[in-house]
Amino acid sequence: MSYSSDFRQSIEKPEQFWFRQAEKIDWFKFPEKILTQDERGFYRWFEGGSLNTCYLALDQHVNNGRGNQPALIYDSPVTDQKQTFTYDQLLEQTALFAGALVDLGVGKGDRVIIYMPMVPEAVIAMLACARVGAIHSVVFGGFASNELAIRIDDAKPKVIVSATCGIEFTNVIPYKPLLDAAIESAKNKPAHTVILKRPQADCTMVEGRDHNWQELLDQASPHECIPLQATDPLYILYTSGTTGKSKGIVRDNGGHAVALNYSMEAIYDVNPGDVYWAASDVGWIVGHSYIVYAPLIRGCTTVLFEGKPVRTPDPGAFWRVMSEHKVKSFFTAPTAFRAIKKEDPRGNYKDAYDLSLLESVFLAGERLDPPTYEWLTGMLACPVIDHWWQTETGWPICANMLGMELKEIKMGSATVPVPGFDVKVLDKNGKETETGDTGSIVIKLPLPPGCLPTLWDDDERYKNSYISDFPGFYLTGDGGYKDEDGYVFVMGRTDDVINVAGHRLSTGEMEELIGGHEAVAECAVVGIEDEMKGQVPAGFVVLKDGYTIENNVLVPELVQIIRSNIGAIANFKQAAIVKRLPKTRSGKILRKTIRSLADEGKAAIPPTIDDPAILDEIKETLHSLGIGKAFQPRSNK
Ligand code: COA
Ligand code: AMP
């Protein structure tokens, strides 16, 4: 395999290229067509193909004699548990839970929400949905009940699968009260819930609606895989957009399986039998693609880690798991390594473990910052690879493709476009920028298999959000540039999405919530730099006339609004009352200017600004409250 020939063929002759990749998976019926456009004009992959993703992830390996191989290793320092499931065992549990879902009336096309911590049952529930053609929607356990309610109303699930609690470091977080509150406030009530009772917390059950996971399983009979069309949806995963309503990214079965299998071979260079570990959460896209589906489709052993990079129990947790489970390829977000580096700057904990089997470390979720890259490469003997992707694409857009040829690493770049992704950088008029010039990063349509065909129940929003700005291109929402060697440098979002500790959040949503406070006339939330979490949100609030409320009274109230509506993961802890917000003459809030003031202590005065004097007022507020990297006491820098 050579990168340049694969890339060229994938762009010039996509149907030939993806025919070749499609031949590598075990279809029930091979597709009749490779690439088509449907009646909406949306591109679809592998029409006429029939398959089942759960079959690919489990049954095919059992049928091929891999039944005794570990499929999933559950390692949970927070509960002091370790458990290995072979492919035989994972299949048995999944087929039974699929039967339980069918007993509850779930069938092809029904939605099932999964709101669970990092336990094997979360994976089993996902695969069981795939087995019977139900569309799962996993909601990250860190989201508060309001976020869950929004997703319930959009996906309209027949069943919600949850657990009594999650565990954060040593804190037991009860999930059931959050679930009950979400169902209470949602307009579309699910007919049933299935609750995994964990020993760390019990819960009250609603008679007739709530079912105990174990009791259901005890009564269930195993269910077979049902054949699905390649274009049938496998799951919906909600992600932050620029408004309060998150976007339901749809993933289909056929393109997803083909693309993930290709990525494991060409990008991650892992083979059947290898141990692959993505330290993320099943609630995020990394968890969907690289904890669950890709490693299992590929016949690897996947690691499900219910812990943190630090304090579970120490900053050696990652090194221990890699060594103990013989991990070949590891994947996490840079923020996780920054957390380790903060507690163990010299990497002393690593020395206790044998990492000789580790062949690669992949990072994504945010740009791999040069200090973290240098710290890691100084300690590890294997390549450390930054790669760029998003929930919408489901697999990497740009990467250094280890399975083909390792290219020169350029710090700050996610390297080159992966075959299938025709990446361009456009200026605001839709013209390609000169080498080195920054613009909007777009991908020429059609997107390769595995990427979103549309948004759940909202084709219009899909069009408006992604394919209308530059006709013929998909808008990634990221800005950046290409260098003379075609390396892509992703410099950050061009919209109001921020990245907090590897979690994607919408400042627009936070503004809507803060704007609901009775004292608030208007507000702006911006993502400001944070050494460990990359970015954290900070709010700037203008009070309604006649309101007198002190900063130290208002801010805790705003913090609570965000915590109880979005969740603690928003990391919304800083806010300031200001007299006015900087705006353009047409009334648009200059969020980027506020961000520069907080990060750098200064900002270029935008030519469109209404009144430049406001910038001095904001700077004064940042200074007096110590908000922003530029205004923090020296010891915190
Ligand atoms: N359930 C409930 N609460 C959760 C949660 C979950 N699944 N995940 C996080 N939270 C809570 C935390 O307990 C914390 O609460 P607090 O403010 O009351 O202390 C808050 O949300 C903020 O969490 P976080 O930003 O994650 O900070 P942290 O200090 O707890 O942990 C890291 C920092 C870097 C260790 C952690 O963010 C991490 O491991 N990040 C990697 C992210 C990742 O894997 N991203 C996926 C892309 S690869
Ligand atoms: P998510 O959909 O949660 O995976 O977030 C996707 C967004 O995270 C992208 O649009 C980027 O803004 C950012 N991102 C992910 N990986 C990288 C990377 N390697 N370099 C720069 N930004 C990244």
Side-chain angles (χ1 to χ4, degrees):
M1 272 193 298
S2 118
Y3 168 74
S4 47
S5 68
D6 258 27
F7 183 76
R8 201 172 332 106
Q9 193 192 29
S10 77
I11 302 303
E12 289 169 5
K13 296 185 174 142
E15 292 179 81
Q16 280 180 22
F17 180 78
W18 290 109
F19 177 94
R20 220 166 20 100
Q21 304 313 328
E23 281 186 314
K24 296 180 188 165
I25 68 161
D26 196 356
W27 298 86
F28 295 154
K29 177 173 167 281
F30 196 78
E32 287 155 15
K33 292 178 182 157
I34 300 299
L35 178 63
T36 45
Q37 272 182 293
D38 67 14
E39 61 291 349
R40 299 165 295 187
F42 299 169
Y43 289 99
R44 304 309 309 258
W45 289 97
F46 308 123
E47 198 185 299
S50 164
L51 77 170
N52 183 288
T53 301
C54 180
Y55 175 87
L56 295 176
L58 300 176
D59 304 63
Q60 71 155 337
H61 304 306
V62 170
N63 295 347
N64 293 339
R66 290 190 169 273
N68 281 330
Q69 182 198 305
L72 183 141
I73 300 171
Y74 169 55
D75 187 310
S76 170
V78 295
T79 59
D80 207 13
Q81 254 187 301
K82 286 175 203 165
Q83 195 181 356
T84 297
F85 295 76
T86 62
Y87 272 100
D88 275 338
Q89 290 163 335
L90 197 59
L91 173 57
E92 189 189 315
Q93 295 289 308
T94 301
L96 272 181
F97 193 64
L101 286 175
V102 171
D103 291 344
L104 291 176
V106 173
K108 184 182 164 195
D110 288 334
R111 275 79 61 208
V112 173
I113 281 188
I114 300 171
Y115 180 61
M116 293 188 101
M118 285 284 285
V119 289
E121 288 79 0
V123 179
I124 290 167
M126 291 166 77
L127 293 167
C129 288
R131 195 167 186 85
V132 298
I135 303 166
H136 64 66
S137 185
V138 183
V139 177
F140 176 59
F143 279 125
S145 59
N146 179 57
E147 285 290 320
L148 180 56
I150 293 171
R151 287 153 174 77
I152 293 173
D153 274 334
D154 199 66
K156 302 180 183 59
K158 211 171 220 179
V159 170
I160 301 183
V161 186
S162 189
T164 48
C165 66
I167 299 150
E168 283 292 296
F169 299 103
T170 51
N171 293 340
V172 173
I173 316 266
Y175 277 27
K176 185 64 172 25
L178 299 174
L179 174 62
D180 287 341
I183 295 177
E184 174 71 30
S185 68
K187 282 188 223 66
N188 296 281
K189 318 274 184 209
H192 302 282
T193 77
V194 182
I195 310 294
L196 175 73
K197 294 224 173 179
R198 305 190 78 189
Q200 295 77 11
D202 202 359
C203 69
T204 53
M205 302 284 270
V206 175
E207 183 75 34
R209 186 196 73 183
D210 298 341
H211 307 269
N212 179 317
W213 170 288
Q214 195 52 53
E215 285 168 13
L216 272 192
L217 224 59
D218 290 344
Q219 293 155 15
S221 313
H223 203 284
E224 284 308 305
C225 291
I226 68 156
L228 296 167
Q229 290 299 304
T231 47
D232 283 338
L234 169 68
Y235 68 75
I236 307 164
L237 179 58
Y238 288 89
T239 191
S240 298
T242 49
T243 67
K245 190 171 180 278
S246 44
K247 296 169 170 170
I249 305 299
V250 176
R251 190 87 54 218
D252 64 16
N253 276 275
H256 175 249
V258 172
L260 290 190
N261 186 56
Y262 173 67
S263 74
M264 291 306 264
E265 180 188 340
I267 300 176
Y268 299 100
D269 192 26
V270 286
N271 296 307
D274 288 342
V275 183
Y276 182 90
W277 177 27
S280 177
D281 189 288
V282 288
W284 304 113
I285 185 58
V286 177
H288 279 62
S289 294
Y290 293 107
I291 294 176
V292 184
Y293 288 111
L296 295 178
I297 289 172
R298 188 81 180 146
C300 299
T301 300
T302 187
V303 180
L304 185 79
F305 177 65
E306 189 184 23
K308 299 277 176 178
V310 291
R311 293 185 280 135
T312 53
D314 57 42
F318 276 11
W319 313 127
R320 174 190 67 77
V321 175
M322 287 177 203
S323 154
E324 196 171 318
H325 303 306
K326 303 186 169 34
V327 170
K328 175 177 171 184
S329 183
F330 177 63
F331 181 165
T332 194
T335 185
F337 277 121
R338 288 198 297 271
I340 297 174
K341 185 172 139 205
K342 190 159 178 251
E343 295 198 8
D344 180 24
R346 304 166 90 90
N348 291 338
Y349 278 85
K350 189 184 84 45
D351 297 341
Y353 302 103
D354 173 11
L355 299 181
S356 55
L357 295 177
L358 182 70
E359 291 188 12
S360 57
V361 170
F362 283 85
L363 293 141
E366 53 175 325
R367 177 170 170 266
L368 173 55
D369 53 295
T372 305
Y373 172 78
E374 280 170 343
W375 184 74
L376 275 171
T377 46
M379 279 195 310
L380 296 173
C382 66
V384 174
I385 297 175
D386 183 12
H387 61 330
W388 166 58
W389 52 299
Q390 43 186 211
T391 307
E392 287 85 345
T393 62
W395 65 292
I397 308 166
C398 283
N400 205 339
M401 303 198 52
L402 196 60
M404 292 189 162
E405 58 195 52
L406 189 66
K407 288 187 177 287
E408 178 201 348
I409 288 175
K410 296 193 190 183
M411 258 195 290
S413 170
T415 318
V416 291
V418 165
F421 291 96
D422 194 0
V423 176
K424 308 272 184 213
V425 181
L426 304 183
D427 66 19
K428 58 181 186 312
N429 300 317
K431 208 170 139 280
E432 249 187 289
T433 56
E434 298 291 328
T435 300
D437 284 354
T438 301
S440 284
I441 311 184
V442 299
I443 303 163
K444 192 164 183 297
L445 295 171
L447 292 172
C451 299
L452 80 170
T454 186
L455 292 177
W456 178 251
D457 208 15
D458 207 345
D459 290 341
E460 275 314 301
R461 190 171 181 203
Y462 166 74
K463 286 190 215 160
N464 294 335
S465 306
Y466 299 112
I467 56 175
S468 299
D469 282 32
F470 299 108
F473 295 91
Y474 163 84
L475 185 73
T476 65
D478 283 310
Y481 64 92
K482 277 192 197 177
D483 77 0
E484 60 288 354
D485 299 319
Y487 277 56
V488 179
F489 289 74
V490 181
M491 304 309 289
R493 299 287 304 190
T494 54
D495 55 15
D496 295 329
V497 167
I498 58 171
N499 234 293
V500 181
H503 307 138
R504 175 168 157 181
L505 298 163
S506 159
T507 54
E509 179 177 11
M510 294 184 216
E511 288 178 3
E512 284 176 31
L513 289 166
I514 290 172
H517 187 287
E518 57 168 5
V520 175
E522 64 173 344
C523 69
V525 175
V526 299
I528 60 174
E529 275 181 30
D530 180 85
E531 204 180 329
M532 213 242 288
K533 301 195 176 182
Q535 283 184 303
V536 288
F540 297 86
V541 170
V542 178
L543 296 182
K544 283 180 186 158
D545 284 350
Y547 268 89
T548 47
I549 185 167
E550 293 301 321
N551 218 63
N552 59 3
V553 176
L554 179 66
V555 174
E557 290 178 14
L558 300 181
V559 167
Q560 198 44 47
I561 289 176
I562 301 296
R563 277 181 87 91
S564 54
N565 279 280
I566 298 179
I569 51 150
N571 279 283
F572 183 89
K573 293 185 178 152
Q574 304 177 82
I577 297 171
V578 292
K579 277 190 251 146
R580 303 176 292 169
L581 291 169
K583 290 185 183 171
T584 61
R585 283 187 282 278
S586 59
K588 210 167 167 285
I589 298 173
L590 290 159
R591 293 179 181 77
K592 221 168 127 188
T593 308
I594 304 178
R595 207 172 66 207
S596 303
L597 283 175
D599 293 345
E600 293 152 34
K602 57 184 186 330
I605 298 178
T608 53
I609 195 166
D610 183 29
D611 177 4
I614 301 178
L615 300 190
D616 289 329
E617 290 172 21
I618 300 273
K619 212 166 135 180
E620 180 51 38
T621 307
L622 290 167
H623 182 71
S624 66
L625 296 174
I627 296 177
K629 209 168 130 201
F631 300 100
Q632 274 157 11
R634 205 147 264 297
S635 58
N636 290 354
K637 281 189 189 175

